[in-house]
Amino acid sequence: MKKNVFVIILVSVLFSCNGSQGKKVEKNSSIINKTIAKDSLKEDEVVSNEEFKKEFDILLPRSYRTYDAKNPATSLTEKWIELYEENGTYYLGKANFKTEKDFDECTGDSLVSISPKNKVVVFMDFPELKTGSVKSLKINKRKVWPKEKVSYTFNNVNYVFRAEGKVLSQFKVDPDESGEEVFKNVANYKLYLTIGNSTEKLLLAEDSFQDTFVELLFAGDMDGDGKLDFVFGANRNYEEERVILFLSSKVKNEDTVKKVSEIAVQFDC
């Protein structure tokens, strides 16, 4: 009888050890997978929020939530510069707007809405920009899907966007202004830019999207250096509005553009 009890206890101990070892292996494997995903970019391709330092603030013509008695919209003044469109032409001008207070039922706090007089793309706290009309390009394709290339020419210089990524699924949608009829669910997205004969540079990278994608909102010479600047919409999910600004004049001795500002506004409930 004692012998049987000893055997049962021994078997129980062995199963317990094996089970705990299995859990350890599973935990370690998940760590390894995350490490591989993080290191999947080449050393010279890393696009990191930790490396990015915003050079000036930008705002969008929309409503902003108040947190801790602070609201981003209240920082906007007439000294800011707005990029706006009128009859197909883009202009830089002093910010022309009004603000209105409202209430957010989701957060139970106040809202401040920016209502511009013009059709504004973005407000910039960058008064050094010269006001007036802006040389710009007509954007014939706002989304660059994986395995696609899109080219533009500005001042006799070619700008080539090239995209990589994994298409998880795709489906047809109603045609929008750009004429695209297929939407794709994309992961591990990378967007590259080549200017003239320069080396291809990684412009932005996103691991995943939730019913959204990267869109080119504006391409033109905002800073007056004869080179293209870009405004991208890069919402990562359907409850976010995110815009990224790239300027060419902020880069020294290189044929490329630099990410100078970004704003991401959440409106989840």
Side-chain angles (χ1 to χ4, degrees):
M1 181 68 178
K2 289 182 180 180
K3 199 174 196 179
N4 292 336
V5 171
F6 175 76
V7 171
I8 292 172
I9 293 173
L10 179 62
V11 171
S12 299
V13 170
L14 289 173
F15 272 109
S16 176
C17 292
N18 289 336
S20 61
Q21 286 178 357
K23 289 179 181 179
K24 288 181 181 178
V25 170
E26 183 179 354
K27 186 176 181 180
N28 290 337
S29 66
S30 64
I31 294 173
I32 291 170
N33 288 336
K34 288 181 180 179
T35 304
I36 292 171
K38 183 178 179 181
D39 296 337
S40 61
L41 294 175
K42 296 177 183 177
E43 185 176 349
D44 60 347
E45 288 186 341
V46 175
V47 177
S48 171
N49 289 330
E50 296 177 358
E51 297 174 355
F52 167 62
K53 293 183 180 180
K54 184 166 57 176
E55 301 206 9
F56 54 84
D57 289 330
I58 60 176
L59 286 169
L60 307 175
R62 58 161 297 117
S63 297
Y64 293 85
R65 292 173 172 175
T66 300
Y67 293 103
D68 298 326
K70 295 181 180 179
N71 193 294
T74 60
S75 65
L76 180 62
T77 71
E78 287 77 11
K79 294 181 180 180
W80 284 45
I81 300 294
E82 64 180 27
L83 172 67
Y84 67 96
E85 182 266 330
E86 183 178 326
N87 298 323
T89 301
Y90 286 89
Y91 300 87
L92 291 173
K94 295 294 184 180
N96 190 350
F97 66 97
K98 65 178 181 178
T99 57
E100 298 174 334
K101 292 185 177 180
D102 204 342
F103 182 77
D104 189 345
E105 295 183 357
C106 289
T107 63
D109 210 331
S110 62
L111 284 174
V112 178
S113 299
I114 299 174
S115 301
K117 180 180 178 181
N118 300 310
K119 189 177 178 182
V120 172
V121 178
V122 64
F123 295 101
M124 298 167 283
D125 187 11
F126 192 28
E128 292 84 354
L129 290 174
K130 184 179 179 180
T131 59
S133 61
V134 177
K135 291 183 178 180
S136 61
L137 293 177
K138 182 179 180 181
I139 302 173
N140 51 35
K141 188 171 175 56
R142 296 190 180 275
K143 301 181 182 73
V144 186
W145 299 108
K147 298 183 180 181
E148 288 185 347
K149 283 186 177 182
V150 177
S151 300
Y152 295 96
T153 301
F154 186 76
N155 286 345
N156 297 318
V157 177
N158 291 326
Y159 292 74
V160 181
F161 291 103
R162 183 182 69 85
E164 294 180 359
K166 184 177 181 180
V167 177
L168 305 177
S169 62
Q170 62 184 52
F171 54 89
K172 291 185 178 180
V173 295
D174 293 332
D176 56 19
E177 293 180 358
S178 62
E180 294 171 320
E181 297 185 4
V182 175
F183 185 84
K184 301 179 182 181
N185 183 17
V186 176
N188 301 323
Y189 183 72
K190 298 179 189 177
L191 182 64
Y192 297 89
L193 174 63
T194 303
I195 302 176
N197 295 321
S198 66
T199 304
E200 184 181 70
K201 298 293 178 64
L202 179 64
L203 202 62
L204 58 87
E206 293 297 338
D207 290 335
S208 62
F209 301 93
Q210 189 177 3
D211 299 328
T212 59
F213 195 62
V214 174
E215 293 189 49
L216 180 57
L217 303 178
F218 169 83
D221 183 13
M222 283 192 288
D223 49 26
D225 65 351
K227 301 177 182 180
L228 284 180
D229 308 301
F230 303 101
V231 180
F232 279 92
N235 308 343
R236 289 159 293 198
N237 63 74
Y238 61 88
E239 293 179 321
E240 176 186 62
E241 186 173 7
R242 178 179 177 229
V243 166
I244 304 174
L245 172 61
F246 294 86
L247 292 180
S248 56
S249 61
K250 293 294 184 177
V251 182
K252 296 180 181 179
N253 303 321
E254 282 188 75
D255 287 328
T256 184
V257 292
K258 182 181 180 181
K259 177 181 174 181
V260 294
S261 194
E262 175 182 340
I263 185 171
V265 182
Q266 304 293 330
F267 48 89
D268 55 310
C269 191

